[in-house]
Amino acid sequence: MRRKISAGLKLNMAVMFTAGIVILWVSYCISTPLTVHAVGLEDSETVDIDVSTTEADATESDFDYEGPIDIITREPIPENGDQDITQRVNISDGSVYDRATGYFVYAVDNGSVSISVADGMMVTGDVMLARSENANVRLYKDGEPLDELPGLINSPGSYAIVSGDDESNGQIMGFRVLSEITGAVNQYSLPKGFSVRSVVINGEDAVFDYGVVDMTAEGKYDINYICSDNGISYYLRVTVDHTPPQVTFEGLDDNNRAKGPVTITGLEEGDTVSVISGSTVKKLNANSQIVESGNYRVVVSDLAGNYIEKEFKIMVYLNLQAWMLFGLLLLIIVGLAVALVITRKRLRVR
């Protein structure tokens, strides 16, 4: 009887010990936060996500998804309503960034305008633009209104979206499209809510201000900056050239007058030459010359938009063609004179 009681006590103690271990393990699992691996991170790196929160504190470039995660399946949890609030972020300039489309949405009269750049941005690529059906806006380029609102903008220039309300006529946002080689900018003042992360000029790191990039120096720029509101990085890659075309106008005196052809030397590939005489547009000949007499204004521009302008006058002169015409006329006169003399002699002999 004594042996049976001892065996029963031992069995009960073993059961109680095992139950205690199980309870301790479950308590540890419940108190430990869920850990998930982030896309793009090393295997040894993890991002802790509190199960009570709805978003991970990370940029779009670090994660494929930002939002609530099911702690069991680790799959995204759909939000109630028509739109996931994590997909729309308020931006410091007053717009709303839509992660689904990558557009900044600006409220306008009777609607909204969606655009792929923020107010104040400079880009070298395409700008995508859309508006709601009844949005009352106009688009200006370099201060001139355009007839329509295009869906794609890639022509270099300074653009502004303006309210179409005649009583308001206020600018909603603006941006610039640059050529890949440009002399049109001396600095980049970043949009509101954006800051510079790095500046590389001709392959070397450069000192920078977090809100303004000095672009007075010539070279190839690679500017990386980030929006503090949506956490997305943006880039501006452009070559800055502030040097105007190095051309010479040969044939002019100190008073910018010529007594013969004017030759333009030093032209490079990509340069354009505009020759204007009064209200007439002229062209250079094959030798890059202007040969006709008259008053001229000549503008030579390069690929970066830099230009040099020259005004001069070509006096009336006898060029090779004129001399040939004069010689031909002289021969005709002499021939007529000789023929007249011969005819008179023949008449006298008779």
Side-chain angles (χ1 to χ4, degrees), residues 79-98:
E79 291 279 326
N80 293 329
D82 296 334
Q83 213 169 25
D84 185 352
I85 59 173
T86 63
Q87 295 299 312
R88 298 177 70 85
V89 181
N90 292 327
I91 305 300
S92 298
D93 67 355
S95 65
V96 175
Y97 180 75
D98 187 348

Side-chain angles (χ1 to χ4, degrees), residues 273-285 289-298:
V273 182
S274 175
V275 181
I276 301 174
S277 178
S279 59
T280 304
V281 178
K282 303 283 187 178
K283 291 185 178 180
L284 299 177
N285 64 14
Q289 291 180 325
I290 303 171
V291 298
E292 297 179 6
S293 60
N295 295 308
Y296 289 91
R297 182 172 67 89
V298 177

Side-chain angles (χ1 to χ4, degrees), residues 54-348:
T54 58
E55 281 196 29
D57 183 17
T59 65
E60 188 173 86
S61 58
D62 293 331
F63 291 89
D64 287 340
Y65 171 79
E66 290 185 3
I69 297 176
D70 188 294
I71 64 174
I72 303 300
T73 65
R74 296 186 180 182
E75 294 295 328
I77 300 175
E79 291 279 326
N80 293 329
D82 296 334
Q83 213 169 25
D84 185 352
I85 59 173
T86 63
Q87 295 299 312
R88 298 177 70 85
V89 181
N90 292 327
I91 305 300
S92 298
D93 67 355
S95 65
V96 175
Y97 180 75
D98 187 348
R99 294 188 187 279
T101 62
Y103 283 16
F104 296 86
V105 183
Y106 293 85
V108 300
D109 296 334
N110 301 322
S112 64
V113 171
S114 300
I115 187 167
S116 58
V117 295
D119 183 24
M121 267 192 181
M122 294 197 302
V123 298
T124 57
D126 296 339
V127 174
M128 310 301 293
L129 178 63
R131 65 174 172 179
S132 59
E133 183 177 358
N134 297 318
N136 187 14
V137 292
R138 288 179 293 178
L139 180 65
Y140 282 72
K141 177 184 178 184
D142 298 327
E144 297 295 329
L146 300 182
D147 295 333
E148 59 182 13
L149 204 71
L152 184 147
I153 301 171
N154 54 21
S155 177
S158 180
Y159 293 85
I161 297 177
V162 178
S163 172
D165 186 351
D166 294 334
E167 296 181 358
S168 172
N169 206 30
Q171 180 170 319
I172 298 164
M173 64 87 66
F175 60 94
R176 295 188 68 174
V177 177
L178 303 175
S179 301
E180 293 184 356
I181 302 176
T182 183
V185 294
N186 290 314
Q187 70 175 25
Y188 186 10
S189 296
L190 265 64
K192 189 175 182 180
F194 290 72
S195 60
V196 180
R197 304 182 72 179
S198 65
V199 177
V200 178
I201 306 176
N202 294 327
E204 297 183 359
D205 293 334
V207 178
F208 59 87
D209 186 328
Y210 286 97
V212 178
V213 179
D214 181 21
M215 302 178 72
T216 55
E218 295 188 333
K220 186 176 181 179
Y221 283 73
D222 193 334
I223 303 172
N224 173 215
Y225 58 105
I226 189 170
C227 175
S228 59
D229 299 313
N230 63 21
I232 298 177
S233 293
Y234 297 87
Y235 298 86
L236 175 63
R237 297 182 176 96
V238 65
T239 299
V240 175
D241 175 11
H242 294 303
T243 304
Q246 302 298 296
V247 299
T248 303
F249 293 82
E250 297 182 350
L252 297 175
D253 60 19
D254 295 338
N255 296 317
N256 289 323
R257 293 175 179 270
K259 297 180 180 179
V262 173
T263 304
I264 304 177
T265 60
L267 291 172
E268 297 184 356
E269 184 177 358
D271 289 347
T272 58
V273 182
S274 175
V275 181
I276 301 174
S277 178
S279 59
T280 304
V281 178
K282 303 283 187 178
K283 291 185 178 180
L284 299 177
N285 64 14
N287 298 319
S288 299
Q289 291 180 325
I290 303 171
V291 298
E292 297 179 6
S293 60
N295 295 308
Y296 289 91
R297 182 172 67 89
V298 177
V299 179
V300 181
S301 304
D302 62 16
L303 289 174
N306 304 302
Y307 67 91
I308 183 173
E309 183 175 340
K310 190 76 171 179
E311 293 186 1
F312 56 88
K313 181 177 183 178
I314 299 179
M315 310 294 289
V316 176
Y317 69 98
L318 293 179
N319 55 22
L320 179 61
Q321 293 179 344
W323 280 110
M324 292 177 62
L325 181 61
F326 177 77
L328 179 61
L329 182 60
L330 183 60
L331 287 175
I332 292 174
I333 294 175
V334 171
L336 290 175
V338 171
L340 181 60
V341 170
I342 293 174
T343 301
R344 286 182 177 180
K345 287 183 177 180
R346 289 179 178 178
L347 290 174
R348 289 177 183 176

